[in-house]
Amino acid sequence: MSVKHFILALAAAGLLLTPALFAEKTTPAAPSPEAQLLAADTDGNGEVTLDELKAHAVKTAEARFKKLDRNKDGVISEKDRPKPKPEAKPQAQANREKMRAKMKAADTDKDGKVSREEARAGMPKMTDEQFKKMDRNGDGYLCPADRQPKPKN
């Protein structure tokens, strides 16, 4: 395979392997570029011609399009996004409320924030690593400010 064909093959494989915008989190990982090239080698001679790669790309693109076009209307749009499971939102809300209650109970000095010592006493199962991860602003306390995205360095 020439360098030009190899670069074209890698570029095509990259396009084929780009994660779909509408893919569900449970979608299995795409095949590696090497596996894609092996699949494109239809005559099995260890080389992939441009024609072989094009044929494989069309076949793969058609299969991916059909999978993403969930409502089978011939276009991929917002309507094809998977709907969230209805039970996920109430459960997430319940988990947040439960954590808020634990935090409020652990805040023994009632200053609106939970120190590591308060967390150890009120939430003994919380590890130092978990505390540090939840302390997004790194001030040594768990507080409402930690609900904001972690500052970029």
Side-chain angles (χ1 to χ4, degrees):
M1 177 187 314
S2 72
V3 172
K4 181 179 175 183
H5 285 134
F6 183 73
I7 291 171
L8 281 172
L10 284 178
L15 288 173
L16 292 172
L17 299 175
T18 301
L21 293 174
F22 300 105
E24 296 178 42
K25 290 182 181 177
T26 57
T27 303
S32 68
E34 294 82 12
Q36 289 281 330
L37 290 174
L38 283 173
D41 184 16
T42 55
D43 61 8
N45 67 354
E47 299 177 340
V48 178
T49 66
L50 183 56
D51 289 336
E52 286 175 318
L53 185 62
K54 284 180 183 178
H56 180 71
V58 167
K59 185 173 105 179
T60 305
E62 286 174 356
R64 180 168 281 186
F65 185 90
K66 287 177 181 176
K67 185 175 182 178
L68 293 173
D69 184 20
R70 289 178 170 85
N71 63 3
K72 309 299 180 213
D73 63 355
V75 295
I76 299 171
S77 67
E78 190 67 30
K79 295 174 187 173
D80 294 303
R81 272 193 184 269
K83 303 289 186 248
K85 295 178 181 176
E87 69 275 1
K89 288 183 180 178
Q91 182 61 46
Q93 182 65 28
N95 289 344
R96 280 192 293 274
E97 293 300 324
K98 188 176 178 182
M99 180 53 86
R100 282 189 189 117
K102 284 182 178 182
M103 298 287 270
K104 189 174 182 177
D107 182 18
T108 55
D109 63 6
K110 305 299 180 206
D111 63 353
K113 54 189 181 181
V114 177
S115 68
R116 182 61 190 121
E117 291 73 28
E118 289 173 318
R120 278 191 190 105
M123 297 176 279
K125 291 183 182 179
M126 181 183 286
T127 65
D128 287 340
E129 186 177 308
Q130 290 169 324
F131 184 90
K132 188 175 180 180
K133 186 175 180 180
M134 290 177 70
D135 181 19
R136 290 184 176 177
N137 63 5
D139 66 355
Y141 296 94
L142 301 181
C143 59
D146 292 314
R147 294 187 201 136
Q148 303 302 320
K150 190 171 188 172
K152 293 181 181 179
N153 295 332

